[in-house]
Amino acid sequence: MKKRFFSLVVLLGCALLGTAQQKTGLHLLKVHKIESDGGWDYLSIDQKNGLLYVSHGNQVNIINKNTSDSVGVIRNTQGVHGIAIANEFNKGYTSNGRMGSCTVFDLKTFAVIAQVNVGQNPDAIFFDSFSKKVFVFNGKSMDASVIDPKTDKLIATIPLGGKPETGVSDGKGKIYVNMEDTGEIICFDANTFKVLSRYRLKGGEEPSGLAIDKTTSRLFTVCSNKVMIVMEASTGKELAVLPIGDGADGVVFDETTKTAYSSNGEGNITVVKELNDQRFEVQETIATKTGARTIALDTQTHHLFLPTADFEKAATANARPKRVPKTFQVLEFGK
């Protein structure tokens, strides 16, 4: 009887270990080619309308994420970084880095509605469905701009004391943002706009991408020294420091599968599994392409989208490879 019980325990342990180490099965499904040239940064998904918004040089390309068809372009968004989708107001917002402004556009017609002046070099941007506000993070003026989508007016500027990168909401009234130059994560109130706490990263340098598990209140930040730090949002306690690829600039978290994905510019995705709210492990590394450093998650299909292009072979080991013109594309990964 004891021998049989011991065998069952061993088998159960092996089964659990196998589950934890099981590969995701994600692979390249499609390459969405976009006929324009220029650099790129963030991309965003309009889940309601099935559209993919891609920042590209001085414009935003809009494609049908299911068919790859081009459906529109938002022009004159010089140095565009990000796109915020506010379906509740039928509006989208672009952060125009070289213009110090946000372009407001209609989500159905793509017609430009307004221009809102914000801080200097606006970068990351998102719509917070809890506070019903658009938050814009300005790298050069080191602050956050708050836009009311009801009026498309700037209603607040929040000094941050450093260069902000990506921001996320906990869905309960708190906003978290990476500070690239000070190595911190700052938390501020989504309604009063007051800074509540500053968490200094102990094991990470120059944090850029940031994601959150709203259920367990866990933050996932990717850093230039090739680590992902998992942090308890309420206290700033670091729960894990995990190895990732080089050149990461984005990370997303899938609430359904409890998985974080770091997009690494060297040409891969690091997959991190949340086993529980205290345990996290690197599950897999998935090959992508050089330059695919930002990422968006389709929460309906659980597919991942990463923008990049083809590059010429560098002349020397330290030289930056040149982008091949007219090769801009968005990679789609899924099962």
Side-chain angles (χ1 to χ4, degrees):
M1 185 68 178
K2 289 183 179 180
K3 184 176 181 181
R4 184 180 178 186
F5 176 77
F6 177 78
S7 298
L8 287 172
V9 170
V10 172
L11 287 172
L12 178 59
C14 290
L16 291 173
L17 183 62
T19 300
Q21 296 179 344
Q22 185 178 4
K23 297 295 180 69
T24 61
L26 292 175
H27 60 279
L28 182 63
L29 294 177
K30 189 183 298 184
V31 177
H32 303 270
K33 295 183 178 181
I34 296 178
E35 295 296 329
S36 62
D37 205 9
W40 61 88
D41 200 352
Y42 298 106
L43 69 171
S44 298
I45 297 175
D46 179 353
Q47 299 281 181
K48 181 179 178 180
N49 297 303
L51 300 177
L52 184 65
Y53 288 80
V54 189
S55 63
H56 198 207
N58 295 324
Q59 65 185 38
V60 173
N61 291 82
I62 311 164
I63 64 174
N64 183 305
K65 68 181 179 66
N66 299 315
T67 66
S68 298
D69 292 337
S70 175
V71 298
V73 178
I74 310 297
R75 303 188 188 278
N76 193 30
T77 59
Q78 296 179 32
V80 61
H81 287 283
I83 309 97
I85 307 298
N87 286 118
E88 296 175 46
F89 299 90
N90 188 42
K91 294 177 181 177
Y93 297 78
T94 71
S95 55
N96 310 323
R98 290 200 292 272
M99 299 171 69
S101 68
C102 290
T103 299
V104 189
F105 62 93
D106 187 287
L107 289 179
K108 290 186 171 60
T109 66
F110 314 129
V112 172
I113 300 170
Q115 297 284 349
V116 184
N117 292 327
V118 290
Q120 299 176 54
N121 190 26
D123 191 348
I125 182 172
F126 78 97
F127 171 70
D128 176 31
S129 57
F130 178 85
S131 64
K132 314 298 183 188
K133 301 293 187 293
V134 175
F135 292 91
V136 189
F137 299 96
N138 309 302
K140 193 172 181 179
S141 55
M142 299 184 178
D143 51 26
S145 299
V146 187
I147 299 172
D148 184 351
K150 293 180 181 178
T151 61
D152 291 326
K153 301 295 183 182
L154 182 68
I155 59 172
T157 299
I158 309 169
L160 296 174
K163 184 179 182 296
E165 276 285 332
T166 311
V168 296
S169 169
D170 70 351
K172 302 172 185 176
K174 292 181 179 179
I175 306 296
Y176 297 87
V177 58
N178 275 333
M179 304 301 293
E180 184 180 36
D181 55 347
T182 62
E184 299 172 294
I185 293 179
I186 289 180
C187 172
F188 62 84
D189 190 285
N191 290 309
T192 67
F193 313 131
K194 292 184 178 180
V195 173
L196 302 174
S197 54
R198 309 179 78 100
Y199 303 140
R200 184 167 295 279
L201 299 174
K202 298 175 183 177
E205 300 172 3
E206 298 179 342
S208 53
L210 183 66
I212 187 170
D213 179 348
K214 294 180 180 179
T215 304
T216 61
S217 296
R218 299 299 183 252
L219 295 167
F220 300 80
T221 182
V222 292
C223 305
S224 65
N225 58 326
K226 299 191 289 186
V227 297
M228 177 190 293
I229 295 178
V230 186
M231 177 182 288
E232 192 174 78
S234 60
T235 65
K237 178 182 178 181
E238 293 185 12
L239 302 173
V241 180
L242 303 162
I244 60 174
D246 193 19
D249 196 27
V251 60
V252 292
F253 185 81
D254 191 325
E255 293 271 358
T256 302
T257 64
K258 294 296 179 183
T259 308
Y261 302 93
S262 168
S263 51
N264 312 314
E266 69 176 10
N268 53 56
I269 298 169
T270 303
V271 182
V272 171
K273 186 71 174 179
E274 181 181 293
L275 303 176
N276 56 49
D277 65 355
Q278 298 294 318
R279 293 183 58 211
F280 310 84
E281 69 175 22
V282 175
Q283 185 178 21
E284 185 180 6
T285 299
I286 302 171
T288 57
K289 289 184 69 171
T290 300
R293 58 185 176 80
T294 56
I295 188 169
L297 169 69
D298 187 329
T299 57
Q300 296 173 351
T301 65
H302 307 286
H303 291 183
L304 304 172
F305 294 84
L306 304 92
T308 189
D310 294 336
F311 292 87
E312 297 177 0
K313 188 176 181 180
T316 63
N318 295 325
R320 187 173 181 176
K322 293 183 179 180
R323 184 175 66 247
V324 178
K326 305 300 181 182
T327 62
F328 185 55
Q329 59 200 256
V330 176
L331 311 177
E332 180 178 354
F333 283 79
K335 293 184 180 181

